[in-house]
Amino acid sequence: MQKVVISGTGLYTPPNSISNDELVASYNAWAERFNQENAEAIDAGELAAVPLSSSEFIEKASGIKSRHVVNKRGILDIDRMVPEIPERSNDEWSILCEMSVKAATEALERAGRTAADIDGVIVACSNLQRPYPAIAVEVQAALGIQGFGFDMNVACSSATFGIQTAANTVSTGQARAVLMVNPEICTGHMNFRDRDSHFIFGDACTAVIIERAEDATSEHQFEILGTKLLTQFSNNIRNNFGFLNRADESGIGQPDKLFVQEGRKVFREVCPMVAELIGNHLEEVKLSVADVSRFWLHQANLNMNMLIARKLLGRDPDLEKEAPVVLDEYANTSSAGSIIAFHKYQDDLPSGSHGVICSFGAGYSIGSVIVRKR
């Protein structure tokens, strides 16, 4: 078995950003209009009034202050409240492919690699824009990579599951190097008319190069010491959108065809599972929590990350050094979140430092990747 390293990471950030104040102004304008237009039904108890939102509520509930988005105008338009993303012809690269190529280009540059050095492409994300052909095969073609490509989806844990899949492929000699990318247009499955979730998601794309340690020449190498995955079925985070919706017209357009969650249940059930998995994983590779310089956690909710880190460390974490946060700027970018944190907060670590990349989300699914900087 070959030793394997992460030798490069890349990030594509969409050019548009929406602040909490902008998002709240749009949502509240829609909510007030809805309540006015349905005043009689609301007064009669036939319909519930839509509650208003606030920037203070959003930041307290999540730690989110803004989010980057592929399209801003459509989201803030109270007659639409859905991003405007025109369909492309089959002769054009898809938007997920375009995002992937941009993130991959930076990852290849940091790894000191070209497309000729890569043997496989994995696109791992929460929402794919089509069933087939695989987005990964399209990315492979756009970059000029020879070999294979396939898509995978484990919701917010797609990146860590993708890293394990890529690492296993490289360590067994099936590929010299694999490109793993996470294009996330989370705003496309967001209900911007739901007060409890309209603020959660943003858009981004991350990329990771995984290759044999003996071949790596990058200045940004992290040896993968171990990976650990866990899934446990739960309906507390769910999206029922799919090709079978057309087989029962009564469900088309219903709220469950977008992101829905039982947030309090998720918080209560997932946090202990994540802390336990990380603790057990560290023991398996003969490390202690004290040996870890940095935790790059899934960027879903600041309160969740604080609780997980507190359970592991026995104290509040230093968010600058031990558990960096990017969700204040990016919001929840699903599978890309922990990789954004890893990408932005890795270069300052000295050689020999240990870190944990961890994601968690729908499934439930949890992925842990323990690394050591070379």
Side-chain angles (χ1 to χ4, degrees):
M1 301 286 281
Q2 301 275 350
K3 285 187 177 182
V4 179
V5 298
I6 295 172
S7 58
T9 54
L11 168 64
Y12 168 68
T13 301
N16 305 298
S17 180
I18 299 176
S19 69
N20 284 348
D21 287 347
E22 291 176 294
L23 195 65
V24 165
S26 171
Y27 169 83
N28 284 349
W30 169 80
E32 289 170 348
R33 186 178 71 179
F34 177 91
N35 291 338
Q36 289 172 0
E37 292 177 347
N38 296 278
E40 289 186 9
I42 292 171
D43 290 341
E46 300 169 356
L47 193 65
V50 174
L52 299 184
S53 188
S54 71
S55 295
E56 293 75 20
F57 160 72
I58 291 173
E59 191 167 350
K60 181 179 180 180
S62 65
I64 295 168
K65 298 178 181 178
S66 64
R67 67 281 300 144
H68 293 278
V69 297
V70 168
N71 175 265
K72 181 173 182 174
R73 184 177 63 179
I75 293 170
L76 297 181
D77 180 353
I78 66 171
D79 293 320
R80 180 182 176 87
M81 300 181 84
V82 175
E84 296 174 342
I85 305 174
E87 285 196 14
R88 301 182 180 188
S89 77
N90 292 349
D91 296 325
E92 300 175 274
W93 298 126
S94 70
I95 188 168
L96 290 190
C97 175
E98 183 180 278
M99 294 169 69
S100 297
V101 167
K102 289 177 179 177
T105 299
E106 182 179 14
L108 287 166
E109 182 179 346
R110 283 177 63 86
R113 294 300 179 200
T114 67
D117 301 310
I118 308 298
D119 293 330
V121 178
I122 300 173
V123 166
C125 62
S126 287
N127 293 278
L128 294 159
Q129 66 187 99
R130 63 170 186 264
Y132 45 80
I135 303 295
V137 178
E138 183 183 11
V139 173
Q140 179 190 351
L143 289 168
I145 292 171
Q146 301 298 313
F148 63 88
F150 60 88
D151 297 341
M152 59 184 293
N153 176 0
V154 202
C156 293
S157 294
S158 295
T160 48
F161 279 60
I163 289 173
Q164 171 169 295
T165 303
N168 288 347
T169 301
V170 172
S171 68
T172 56
Q174 294 175 306
R176 296 165 301 162
V178 172
L179 165 67
M180 194 279 302
V181 289
N182 322 106
E184 295 285 11
I185 304 182
C186 300
T187 55
H189 73 108
M190 185 76 267
N191 184 353
F192 287 99
R193 290 172 176 160
D194 175 38
R195 182 244 191 193
D196 291 334
S197 65
H198 76 112
F199 56 86
I200 291 177
F201 289 104
D203 304 328
C205 181
T206 47
V208 178
I209 304 294
I210 297 100
E211 63 176 312
R212 295 184 300 209
E214 65 181 32
D215 297 336
T217 60
S218 166
E219 298 178 358
H220 311 286
Q221 294 181 45
F222 284 82
E223 182 180 352
I224 297 175
L225 301 182
T227 58
K228 189 175 183 69
L229 311 179
L230 174 70
T231 54
Q232 177 179 302
F233 185 75
S234 170
N235 280 316
N236 288 332
I237 310 172
R238 194 172 177 107
N239 182 333
N240 286 329
F241 182 78
F243 73 96
L244 287 179
N245 295 158
R246 65 190 289 268
D248 180 4
E249 293 83 357
S250 67
I252 294 174
Q254 294 300 308
D256 71 317
K257 303 308 183 291
L258 297 171
F259 168 85
V260 291
Q261 74 167 351
E262 295 284 345
R264 290 182 177 84
K265 289 182 180 179
V266 173
F267 189 99
R268 184 172 63 249
E269 294 172 5
V270 170
C271 291
M273 292 170 60
V274 173
E276 182 180 12
L277 182 137
I278 293 175
N280 291 340
H281 193 194
L282 288 169
E283 288 183 11
E284 290 174 9
V285 299
K286 296 180 170 51
L287 292 175
S288 69
V289 172
D291 294 320
V292 179
S293 299
R294 192 155 294 165
F295 294 91
W296 298 284
L297 300 176
H298 173 48
Q299 303 290 304
N301 183 289
L302 180 59
N303 298 316
M304 291 184 76
N305 285 12
M306 289 291 289
L307 180 56
I308 292 166
R310 194 179 299 123
K311 284 180 175 291
L312 288 165
L313 297 169
R315 56 174 172 79
D316 286 342
D318 182 334
L319 295 179
E320 291 291 328
K321 296 180 180 179
E322 294 175 310
V325 173
V326 299
L327 65 84
D328 55 340
E329 175 188 351
Y330 282 84
N332 184 344
T333 53
S334 193
S335 67
S338 58
I339 307 302
I340 296 174
F342 178 54
H343 175 75
K344 284 181 168 288
Y345 294 94
Q346 61 169 256
D347 290 349
D348 63 311
L349 290 176
S351 177
S353 299
H354 294 96
V356 177
I357 305 168
C358 183
S359 59
F360 40 90
Y364 296 129
S365 59
I366 307 171
S368 171
V369 181
I370 299 175
V371 296
R372 178 173 59 219
K373 189 166 186 179
R374 292 176 56 134

